[in-house]
Amino acid sequence: MKTSKSLFAIIFVATAAISCSKDAKTPPAQAATPLVKQMVITYPYIRSVYNNTYDDQKRLATVGNANNIITYNAGGFEISQPYNADKLITDVTLDNSGRIGTVLSYPNTNERYNSIFSYDTKGRLAKIVQTGTYYGRVVRHLTFIYTWDDNDNLLSSRIISDNDDSTVTYSGFSAENVNTLKGSNFGFDYFGTADYPSDFVPNDNGGSGVTFPSIYAGKILPTQVKGPGYTRNLTYHKNALGYIDRIETNNPASAVDHTITDIAYQ
């Protein structure tokens, strides 16, 4: 089976640490949502740049870096990406409330990954169940389960596969870190009350974790993320308008687990 590749590379963000800005703790009301035009992710040994373009309805049109360009049709209802000799297609359908209902990804006619989204009574993403098939035979199951607090902050993301069960927890919520990286800032508006669908990546192998990471879910962003074998501390900086323009993540136990994400808006 083909190696998992992230599809939504717009937010290929490893979370990471600079001092929090004391300016503009909450963003001011604005008539228009500022769209993210570029994200620069700096790792210890590599730097990646992602540029976004939008259509005339301010829906995401393309995401590109030096190695790949992803094309979105009608703001994400069909997404195409080069995939070796094939083209990876992702079809998105919405439920009656306008949220993502199902996602079908397929790099060819024989390999398919179908995901079903469900939400709680507050409209927050509660679960994603994915089934992968190869030549019509079921080859993979994935279940993503999300828990929230009463203030709509994401507390945990649990991923259950055929041979693993792991949980990531989020803590250290502060009013200084109000989430300004909403789906609408990237030309999406399909993810329910809490916006992003957390660790789900609708790609060829049903991968998870690095794209639309759970850090972007909820009203306030966490300052600590704990997963199996690691703890990462996060700090945020905001621009003059109160929108987050830098995220730094640092794992004190690892000299190389350190990432800075710089965000530029239109």
Side-chain angles (χ1 to χ4, degrees), residues 1-241:
M1 189 161 56
K2 294 184 172 69
T3 302
S4 173
K5 289 189 176 181
S6 295
L7 173 62
F8 289 139
I10 51 173
I11 334 181
F12 186 82
V13 179
T15 50
I18 205 172
S19 60
C20 297
S21 170
K22 301 302 181 182
D23 302 328
K25 293 183 179 179
T26 58
Q30 294 194 358
T33 299
L35 294 170
V36 172
K37 68 178 180 180
Q38 185 182 79
M39 298 187 78
V40 180
I41 298 89
T42 304
Y43 306 96
Y45 303 111
I46 194 172
R47 180 174 180 268
S48 298
V49 179
Y50 298 93
N51 294 299
N52 299 349
T53 66
Y54 299 88
D55 64 18
D56 56 4
Q57 296 185 47
K58 297 185 177 181
R59 300 175 303 193
L60 189 67
T62 64
V63 173
N65 59 26
N67 302 311
N68 192 18
I69 294 179
I70 301 170
T71 302
Y72 295 75
N73 177 30
F77 295 96
E78 181 180 272
I79 305 153
S80 62
Q81 176 187 14
Y83 184 80
N84 297 329
D86 300 316
K87 177 181 285 188
L88 175 62
I89 300 295
T90 300
D91 293 322
V92 180
T93 60
L94 305 182
D95 65 15
N96 293 333
S97 299
R99 302 167 302 207
I100 289 180
T102 63
V103 172
L104 174 64
S105 295
Y106 48 99
N108 53 61
T109 57
N110 301 314
E111 190 175 352
R112 306 175 81 81
Y113 298 87
N114 188 60
S115 300
I116 300 173
F117 287 55
S118 60
Y119 302 84
D120 64 18
T121 57
K122 293 185 67 175
R124 303 173 301 192
L125 183 66
K127 182 184 291 187
I128 303 169
V129 177
Q130 183 184 88
T131 302
T133 59
Y134 192 63
Y135 283 92
R137 180 173 62 90
V138 175
V139 294
R140 183 171 184 173
H141 297 93
L142 279 176
T143 300
F144 303 77
I145 300 172
Y146 308 99
T147 58
W148 307 82
D149 66 16
D150 292 338
N151 295 316
D152 296 337
N153 298 312
L154 185 66
L155 295 180
S156 68
S157 304
R158 182 183 178 191
I159 303 176
I160 305 169
S161 67
D162 294 321
N163 53 17
D164 191 31
D165 187 338
S166 61
T167 299
V168 177
T169 61
Y170 308 89
S171 61
F173 301 103
S174 168
E176 291 187 349
N177 299 325
V178 171
N179 187 2
T180 63
L181 291 171
K182 297 294 186 178
S184 53
N185 293 103
F186 296 91
F188 292 101
D189 193 20
Y190 311 133
F191 301 130
T193 301
D195 228 340
Y196 280 119
S198 304
D199 286 301
F200 180 69
V201 180
N203 62 13
D204 64 300
N205 235 10
S208 64
V210 293
T211 305
F212 288 136
S214 294
I215 181 179
Y216 295 120
K219 290 185 177 179
I220 297 177
L221 299 181
T223 58
Q224 190 169 85
V225 177
K226 290 185 177 182
Y230 69 85
T231 297
R232 297 188 180 115
N233 300 317
L234 299 100
T235 53
Y236 308 91
H237 182 272
K238 294 183 179 180
N239 62 21
L241 294 177

